[in-house]
Amino acid sequence: KLESRSLTHKLTVGADDKPFGSVTTHDVAEALARDGVAVEKRAIELPQPIKTLGIFDIPVRLHPNVTATLKLWVVKA
């Protein structure tokens, strides 16, 4: 169910399309909660905050042996 979803997160960008801020596990968990899926931010395996625009595959650990991959689109606000 989780792998069939994709999320979009908007970042404010400057003149050279450099984003202000970043996308963290907290942001991904909040976006999933708004979409009706409750996931703890510790289950989202994001090694470092995302600071660029683009499409990212985010692993979400649902169980020690089960990991789903979520597609995250980071776009201009």
Side-chain angles (χ1 to χ4, degrees), residues 3-76:
E3 288 189 344
S4 65
R5 295 179 186 253
S6 66
L7 296 175
T8 303
H9 188 83
K10 295 181 180 180
L11 283 180
T12 305
V13 295
D16 297 335
D17 281 345
K18 283 188 144 187
F20 295 118
S22 60
V23 181
T24 62
T25 56
H26 180 75
D27 298 323
V28 176
E30 281 187 346
L32 282 170
R34 283 192 302 267
D35 207 27
V37 178
V39 173
E40 290 187 29
K41 70 178 185 177
R42 291 181 300 217
I44 300 166
E45 297 178 345
L46 192 60
Q48 58 195 22
I50 297 171
K51 297 181 180 184
T52 59
L53 302 177
I55 304 167
F56 301 91
D57 291 327
I58 309 294
V60 179
R61 189 179 63 254
L62 303 174
H63 186 269
N65 297 328
V66 179
T67 301
T69 302
L70 174 71
K71 191 162 292 287
L72 176 67
W73 297 66
V74 181
V75 298
K76 290 189 224 184

